[in-house]
Amino acid sequence: MKTYLFDFDGTLVDSMPYFIAGVLKELDKKNCKYGKDIIKTITPLGVVGTAEYFIQNFDLNMTVEELIEAFKVNIATAYFYEISTKKNVIEALTELKERGASINILTAGPHVTLDACLKRLGIFDWFDNVWSCDDFSTTKANPELYKAVAKCLGVGVQEVLFFDDNLDAATTAKRAGMKVCGVFDESSADYVSQMKAICDFYIYDFSELSKIE
């Protein structure tokens, strides 16, 4: 493979606990009741999709715009100052760059936190493209998103290897025609067997990336 597309949260960086806590904080403020599956539900939706989902399913007297601003406030500090890359990510990305591969990001998170985190980590300029789902006005639950990204990359959708820790996103990308590599994250630990059944590859650590052909 020569074209790689990476999710950000839970894939390249250890951010899912911060992201999840930040968005669920708004439900907790209202004493809303939710099940453990809510994490699986909201992670592929992006900030806008999560806000819409919360408003549709919980008693929140807020607009989508107000809820998104609240999310950003809740998570901003972690992205600006705390979140780090996952183990062996820097080494794996360095190897791909040295091989002349195209490396790109597609994430549900907004640019305001995404870009700041990448720049603090010193790897923003390593990527050929850094995309938020907001750039395409849709979510990872839409198969057309992955086809649109491949078109932007100038390759066939089947020529892209997509990395994600989320079962729904991996399933949708696979349905769109991409090759998919599942990535282990504690937030999706309950879905490892399902991820392995869906994905072309599965890694627990980025040191395994060199084994993927």
Side-chain angles (χ1 to χ4, degrees):
M1 300 298 296
K2 295 182 179 179
T3 306
Y4 294 77
L5 182 65
F6 296 92
D7 169 52
F8 186 63
D9 293 294
T11 297
L12 294 180
V13 293
D14 274 319
S15 59
M16 288 309 295
Y18 299 96
F19 179 81
I20 293 166
V23 298
L24 293 184
K25 183 177 181 179
E26 295 306 310
L27 296 185
D28 294 336
K29 285 180 181 178
K30 299 289 186 179
N31 295 315
C32 298
K33 303 299 181 183
Y34 49 85
K36 65 178 183 179
D37 286 347
I38 195 168
I39 295 173
K40 175 177 175 286
T41 299
I42 65 175
T43 46
L45 297 181
V47 174
V48 174
T50 298
E52 292 172 342
Y53 178 82
F54 281 5
I55 290 171
Q56 291 168 5
N57 292 275
F58 300 97
D59 185 22
L60 298 179
N61 187 25
M62 303 173 73
T63 66
V64 170
E65 291 73 20
E66 289 170 339
L67 194 49
I68 289 171
E69 286 306 310
F71 291 164
K72 290 179 181 178
V73 169
N74 293 345
I75 66 177
T77 298
Y79 282 85
F80 292 162
Y81 303 108
E82 300 175 42
I83 290 168
S84 61
T85 57
K86 296 179 85 168
K87 186 178 179 182
N88 293 314
V89 162
I90 296 297
E91 293 81 357
L93 293 178
T94 299
E95 180 180 342
L96 290 179
K97 290 290 286 183
E98 290 175 347
R99 282 165 41 189
S102 172
I103 60 174
N104 308 271
I105 287 178
L106 174 67
T107 183
H111 279 292
V112 64
T113 49
L114 167 66
D115 295 2
C117 190
L118 285 169
K119 289 174 182 177
R120 175 175 56 82
L121 295 170
I123 57 175
F124 180 85
D125 293 331
W126 290 19
F127 296 92
D128 296 314
N129 298 280
V130 175
W131 285 306
S132 165
C133 290
D134 296 343
D135 299 324
F136 297 89
S137 300
T138 189
T139 73
K140 286 187 176 179
N142 182 0
E144 295 304 313
L145 169 65
Y146 305 91
K147 297 175 184 178
V149 167
K151 184 175 181 179
C152 289
L153 291 169
V155 298
V157 68
Q158 73 281 358
E159 298 178 73
V160 180
L161 179 57
F162 176 59
F163 292 75
D164 205 301
D165 62 297
N166 181 267
L167 176 62
D168 287 350
T171 302
T172 308
K174 184 67 178 174
R175 190 164 73 245
M178 282 188 176
K179 289 188 178 297
V180 179
C181 180
V183 179
F184 178 80
D185 189 74
E186 288 294 342
S187 67
S188 55
D190 291 342
Y191 304 101
V192 170
S193 60
Q194 292 167 268
M195 286 282 281
K196 288 182 176 180
I198 289 293
C199 298
D200 299 280
F201 311 100
Y202 190 87
I203 60 174
Y204 288 89
D205 184 284
F206 270 83
S207 62
E208 302 172 67
L209 186 60
S210 59
K211 301 176 184 177
I212 295 176
E213 297 295 337

